[in-house]
Amino acid sequence: MTPESGPDIGAAAIEAAIRSPKAGGPALVAYLTAGFPTRDAFAGLVQEVAGVADVVEIGIPFSDPMADGATIQDASRVALEQGASLGWALDALADAFPSGPPAPLVLMSYLNPLLRFGMERLAERSVAACVSGVIVPDLPYDETDEVAGPLRERGMGVVQMATVVSSAERLRLVGEATSGFLYAVTSLGTTGSGSLDTSGVTRFLDDLRAITQAPVCAGFGIRTPDHVRSLAGHCDGVIVGSALVETIGSGGSAGAFLRSLRIG
Amino acid sequence: MNNAAFEIDEAEKRRLLGELLAGRLPDDRGRFGPFGGRFVPEVLVPALDRLEEHARAALADERYHAELASLQRNWVGRPTPLCQAPRLSELWGADIWLKREELAHTGAHKINNALGQALIAKRMGAKRVVAETGAGQHGVASAAACARVGLPCVVYMGAVDVERQQPNVVRMERLGAEVRAVESGDATLRAAIDEALRHWAGDPIDTHYLLGSSVGPHPFPWLVRELQAVIGRETREQMLDQAGRLPDVAIAAVGGGSNAIGFFHGFLADEAVSIVGIEAGGTGAAIGQNAATIATGEPGVLHGSMSLLLQDENGQVQETSSISAGLDYPGVGPEHAFLRLVGRVSYRSITDNEAMEALDACSRMEGILPAVEPSHALAGARTIATERPGATIVVNLCGRGDKDMPILMRHWGQR
């Protein structure tokens, strides 16, 4: 289905951006918490990140981020204290990219802020802000159809997650249902935590690519060029979240950090 | 999931209540009408599937029930007594009965669920148990149950609660559990659940999450209800036996709602019994001053289920306030949201001060020092006694007040 406001957004745009990254190696999907470290910094940061990354995840802060580790918990708390919200973030994105973003934008939000905003309203406002899809960490496959209708009707991607503990049947279902890309959760636990077992993960990623038409992006625990190198060839993209938020939090350059992860 | 799902007509209310009474709720998706469900990260889905499978197998297994019944009798001290409260009855102008759950081992109803789940964890082959706690009662119950069945236990407890329920921290540690203070979020029960869920997501295969209230993703609200329903079954039988009649009113305190859901289930089918849940009214009606979720919350998703939730216009969960750590929670079990929706249970709130007055009255008049949580239910009974003089009211006295000494000293010390 063609998105209403042009050909450059929606699930198809996410897939295309991951299949044809801006540089060699796997596509780079970068995560930012909207409103961290300040609301004023958001437009500049998202422009900088979208200029380097192939897809940008915009994290909407939530009071109870149960899938997130300490880094994103803290960033979410700071962003909420600054008054960041879904409505504000959508407005800020529309302002930051008046002629469309240089990389597809994907909202990453827990379910409750989306429900409270209203799914129909979210779909309309997302299209207006050139947002191409959503990732909802507390919305598993079984519950997705009930809430995602308005987003899918507009061609937006609704990204599903696959984990190393999911059954083969479950992986087949999420692989079929996902749109935009399939989010391969490469370590147990929360974002940014634990150590990445790259050798164990490559086989999981290879299996996933066999069961889905969508590109497969690996995320959770990826923070170094070595991680990216070890996963290259087993996935279509890598997702970098906590490590980027840490860089931003310590005053480092988001663009330079992301460029350091380009291995091609 | 639109707003129409939360606004239903009388016929639909009757139909849904009929489904519940027929034992068909939660449905196979873990829903109580529009509430409940399973809103969790994908990584927890296999663990929840596996828990449901093992829990259903256990609850259908005579050997499980025989082991549970034996431990309930000899280790927990069930059945807990029902006793009439003659002097409170005279003082408040009603016929007051107390279900003595505070006499259960470890001092509260929490042991019913903790023991039942610990036995299931053992059957599942879990290597360790993680639990959250608010007042500390579920943490103590989990620590004791895990000690009894021989499983290591980690308890997450908000840093604020660690401070205000210090005696229970010491008890948990003596019972062999590791207590981890949670500084994140609001540092109370809600943050402890967030942290326990994170722990579980990091080890979903070998860890069993022993959730202590009738909240969370399916199958927890169902499983906790089934394990707490013993309270209501006993109470109904004891009322018929000792009072020769059913009560006019059954009343219990509701935080997440586990003692209440187990108690209420004894009376849901008895149309003549009014059922009342009492929430924490804190210090006032404004947002942030209380934990009266059903009174002022709106539909939303927290900790894995759709229920009523104290939240702001952006869907952010609100801070709560209550003198009772066990009721200090911005959500409520999905079955309570359902029972309110279909109109079978009415919910009210009681302020901190009203609860403390009732605690004092029960202590002085009956020689029973209740916990701050059921003191809310007692205060509710006093209010209802003024509206229905002479009514027979049974209160679930879900915990004893020993753990509340720091709160009591502070409260009366300030007078």
Side-chain angles (χ1 to χ4, degrees), chain B residues 241-259:
Chain B
D241 185 41
Q242 294 172 237
R245 55 164 296 178
L246 290 175
D248 297 310
V249 184
I251 185 163
V254 178
S258 72
N259 90 83

Side-chain angles (χ1 to χ4, degrees), chain A residues 10-20 104 178-181 213-215:
Chain A
I14 302 171
E15 291 198 20
I18 295 168
R19 300 271 190 217
S20 310
T178 199
S179 53
F181 64 91
Q213 304 289 312

Side-chain angles (χ1 to χ4, degrees), chain B residues 291-313:
Chain B
T293 306
I294 293 183
T296 54
E298 293 182 62
V301 169
L302 176 69
H303 296 147
S305 64
M306 167 65 71
S307 187
L308 294 168
L309 185 60
L310 294 173
Q311 57 185 314
D312 70 8
E313 71 280 7

Side-chain angles (χ1 to χ4, degrees), chain B residues 210-403:
Chain B
L210 208 175
L211 185 47
S213 194
S214 57
V215 302
H218 181 67
F220 285 112
W222 162 77
L223 177 58
V224 175
R225 174 190 86 194
E226 293 301 302
L227 293 171
Q228 293 293 1
V230 64
I231 308 172
R233 279 197 304 272
E234 284 179 8
T235 308
R236 189 177 189 282
E237 219 169 274
Q238 290 165 325
M239 280 301 297
L240 290 173
D241 185 41
Q242 294 172 237
R245 55 164 296 178
L246 290 175
D248 297 310
V249 184
I251 185 163
V254 178
S258 72
N259 90 83
I261 206 69
F263 185 63
F264 292 170
H265 261 264
F267 300 103
L268 286 176
D270 300 311
E271 284 179 29
V273 179
S274 302
I275 305 179
V276 183
I278 303 292
E279 297 190 294
T283 55
I287 272 283
Q289 291 183 346
N290 60 70
T293 306
I294 293 183
T296 54
E298 293 182 62
V301 169
L302 176 69
H303 296 147
S305 64
M306 167 65 71
S307 187
L308 294 168
L309 185 60
L310 294 173
Q311 57 185 314
D312 70 8
E313 71 280 7
N314 293 318
Q316 306 296 339
V317 181
Q318 291 300 287
E319 309 256 314
T320 53
S321 173
S322 169
I323 194 166
S324 148
L327 304 181
D328 205 353
Y329 182 66
V332 67
E335 193 168 357
H336 285 292
F338 171 87
L339 288 168
R340 199 272 193 131
L341 178 72
V342 302
R344 180 61 187 99
V345 178
S346 62
Y347 294 85
R348 310 174 165 216
S349 51
I350 282 294
T351 65
D352 289 349
N353 283 335
E354 290 169 325
M356 296 308 269
E357 284 169 23
L359 182 150
D360 215 23
C362 184
S363 303
R364 288 162 188 264
M365 293 287 164
E366 301 296 337
I368 298 169
L369 202 163
V372 176
E373 290 79 13
S375 297
H376 286 71
L378 285 166
R382 186 178 69 172
T383 306
I384 287 167
T386 63
E387 298 163 5
R388 299 177 65 171
T392 296
I393 303 173
V394 61
V395 180
N396 191 28
L397 209 66
C398 64
R400 68 179 86 130
D402 305 31
K403 70 178 172 65

Side-chain angles (χ1 to χ4, degrees), chain A residues 1-258:
Chain A
M1 192 175 293
T2 308
E4 287 166 10
S5 67
D8 298 334
I9 70 163
I14 302 171
E15 291 198 20
I18 295 168
R19 300 271 190 217
S20 310
K22 292 169 179 167
L28 206 48
V29 178
Y31 169 96
L32 286 173
T33 297
F36 174 80
T38 64
R39 287 210 301 183
D40 289 345
F42 179 56
L45 272 172
V46 75
Q47 286 163 347
E48 181 184 358
V49 168
V52 180
D54 299 301
V55 173
V56 184
E57 291 181 12
I58 310 296
I60 304 301
F62 182 50
S63 52
D64 291 73
M66 71 161 140
D68 287 303
T71 299
I72 295 176
Q73 284 178 44
D74 288 346
S76 300
R77 181 181 48 75
V78 169
L80 288 173
E81 285 167 4
Q82 310 272 329
S85 67
L86 176 56
W88 163 78
L90 289 168
D91 284 344
L93 290 173
D95 290 347
F97 303 111
S99 50
L105 307 175
V106 178
L107 294 180
M108 182 148 186
S109 174
Y110 287 87
L111 182 57
N112 202 55
L114 305 185
L115 290 178
R116 188 72 185 183
F117 196 77
M119 298 310 288
E120 191 63 42
R121 181 171 165 228
L122 172 68
E124 282 168 19
R125 294 277 302 277
S126 293
V127 169
C130 290
V131 167
S132 288
V134 298
I135 305 169
V136 186
D138 57 347
L139 186 67
Y141 163 76
D142 330 63
E143 308 280 3
T144 302
D145 288 352
E146 196 170 328
V147 295
L151 305 176
R152 287 178 171 152
E153 282 164 20
R154 288 167 178 80
M156 289 177 65
V158 180
V159 174
Q160 301 283 335
M161 294 198 172
T163 80
V164 292
V165 292
S166 305
S167 68
E169 170 64 7
R170 185 88 184 171
L171 291 177
R172 193 183 60 73
L173 291 171
V174 298
E176 274 175 16
T178 199
S179 53
F181 64 91
L182 179 61
Y183 196 130
V185 180
T186 45
S187 66
L188 296 175
T190 52
T191 53
S193 68
S195 54
L196 186 65
D197 168 20
T198 47
S199 59
V201 141
T202 51
R203 176 145 179 225
F204 167 62
L205 294 173
D206 294 341
D207 290 348
L208 288 182
R209 289 173 99 184
I211 54 116
T212 184
Q213 304 289 312
V216 172
C217 294
F220 276 46
I222 295 169
R223 45 200 320 131
T224 68
D226 279 347
H227 287 155
V228 179
R229 260 187 289 276
S230 64
L231 299 177
H234 302 279
C235 60
D236 303 291
V238 294
I239 304 164
V240 183
S242 298
L244 177 59
V245 172
E246 279 164 28
T247 301
I248 292 167
S250 61
S253 160
F257 175 71
L258 290 172

Side-chain angles (χ1 to χ4, degrees), chain B residues 126-144:
Chain B
K127 294 192 172 63
R128 64 195 71 87
V129 163
V130 58
E132 83 297 335
T133 198
Q137 287 306 108
H138 175 60
V140 169
S142 297

